[in-house]
Amino acid sequence: MTQPMHSMPAVDQVSDDTLRRLAGYNLKRAFNVIHADLGEVLAPLDLRMLTFSALTLIADNNGLTQTQLAEALAIKRPNLVVIVDELEGRGLILRNPVPNDRRAHALSATLPGRRLRDRALAAVLAHEARILAVLDPQERLALEQALIRIRGTA
Amino acid sequence: MTQPMHSMPAVDQVSDDTLRRLAGYNLKRAFNVIHADLGEVLAPLDLRMLTFSALTLIADNNGLTQTQLAEALAIKRPNLVVIVDELEGRGLILRNPVPNDRRAHALSATLPGRRLRDRALAAVLAHEARILAVLDPQERLALEQALIRIRGTA
DNA sequence: GAATAACTATTATGATGAATAACAATTGTC
DNA sequence: GACAATTGTTATTCATCATAATAGTTATTC
């Protein structure tokens, strides 16, 4: 294996020109900015991006099962269990029995759960407006269209 | 705490209309698609997104320090150590001494490192072309501009 | 109708990404 | 020379996401 033989001066400025040409890189960096800000927005409500998404999907789809929720969140069922546990433990959702299938749980949001979701959604919308203020309406639409196109059917 | 009192029918189709209105949600889903595909592309080269980015930045910025690299990757210095350890252990990069500062390491890519980077970059560019095939050139430019704008100075 | 297959939620476990705290060695400053 | 700041490092923690294996239940098939 090659060894460092001689000393070497440090570089003055770091260039990421190569990576900047990659959509994946730009996507990740933009997402980091949004994620960091969103984290601060949701923290006072004791929610994270994932728990907010889960709570919203449950409130909007009363009676969906955990398998359906995991599918909608694009995560595996085992990883959903702790999330549902947490939301249920805080009294925000319920695991209801399903009439003809004693394996499944029909998830539903409680009144406190729906109230928290409403407050969180308002906060998230304000956060989005703030983040997207650097884009005009036309650019926002173009961004949304492109992202949805990339996501495709997945 | 409220208890589930009665059974409840499951829902037929799950709607994520609320979340789809959020740029952060669309961004994450699009990133997931790219990340999954990129993982498969880089796996044969024994690279991940992060190690590829690190190797590229080192090859493009000969002599940068770990602090500079961590800054460029937007990660904390402690998390960079294992990445540099791995790349160095595989003989792809070197930790060279810096003339006037015996604390710092000037990172540089070895010949095998530069060769692997070139192969990886070609694979990544092919992957990007495939993923972005759903967008016309105008849409790609709009996406890039919007993402860079959101990222801002961060 | 009994054996078998498939599905639901769960537990256990591991890999990865990313954060903070604490530290030793070194360098810079007053 | 004392003190502060910087560099890389270790240890630790948390969040996210994946797989394998399991118990209980439902569906299928012979």
Side-chain angles (χ1 to χ4, degrees), chain B residues 59-124:
Chain B
D60 283 356
N61 298 274
N62 202 269
L64 86 170
T65 66
Q66 292 184 196
T67 295
Q68 288 175 316
L69 181 54
E71 168 75 15
L73 289 170
I75 66 176
K76 301 296 174 186
R77 273 152 297 169
N79 298 322
L80 181 62
V81 175
V82 289
I83 295 170
V84 171
D85 282 349
E86 179 189 333
L87 294 176
E88 187 189 35
R90 291 169 61 185
L92 302 172
I93 67 167
L94 299 174
R95 282 195 244 229
N96 307 102
V98 172
N100 295 323
D101 192 339
R102 287 190 295 179
R103 298 169 300 179
H105 297 155
L107 303 176
S108 66
T110 63
L111 182 57
R114 290 196 299 276
R115 283 190 181 141
L116 181 61
R117 183 208 98 114
D118 290 344
R119 279 202 294 150
L121 182 56
V124 170

